Amino acid sequence: MPTITKKELEEYKKMCYDREHGRLLTIDGLRLICDRLNRDPEVIGKHFLETLARIQSADKR
């Protein structure tokens, strides 16, 4: 039976935490965002960059 390393276990736990707190983007979520922003690449890019900055600033607190 295969085993996992402590690092792999930590990454898995982080992924589970992110999933439970709405931080993982699914294909359906991506489609919803793109459709809502009229599939405009510049607007979509701006949205994701602003979201990333907001998440990073919240993580530093």
Side-chain angles (χ1 to χ4, degrees):
M1 181 163 123
T3 59
I4 61 173
T5 65
K6 287 182 182 181
K7 183 178 179 184
E8 290 172 329
L9 180 60
E10 289 173 14
E11 289 174 1
Y12 175 75
K13 286 181 180 180
K14 183 180 182 318
M15 185 203 63
C16 289
Y17 177 85
D18 289 343
R19 181 188 65 216
E20 292 166 3
H21 291 86
R23 292 179 135 182
L24 291 180
L25 183 60
T26 63
I27 283 290
D28 291 334
L30 181 61
R31 282 189 188 118
L32 178 68
I33 292 168
C34 291
D35 287 344
R36 180 68 179 110
L37 298 174
N38 297 320
R39 296 186 179 261
D40 183 341
E42 290 183 19
V43 176
I44 294 167
K46 182 178 177 187
H47 169 76
F48 279 108
L49 289 173
E50 290 170 351
T51 302
L52 177 62
R54 190 171 59 245
I55 290 170
Q56 287 176 336
S57 69
D59 285 345
K60 290 181 182 179
R61 292 182 192 168

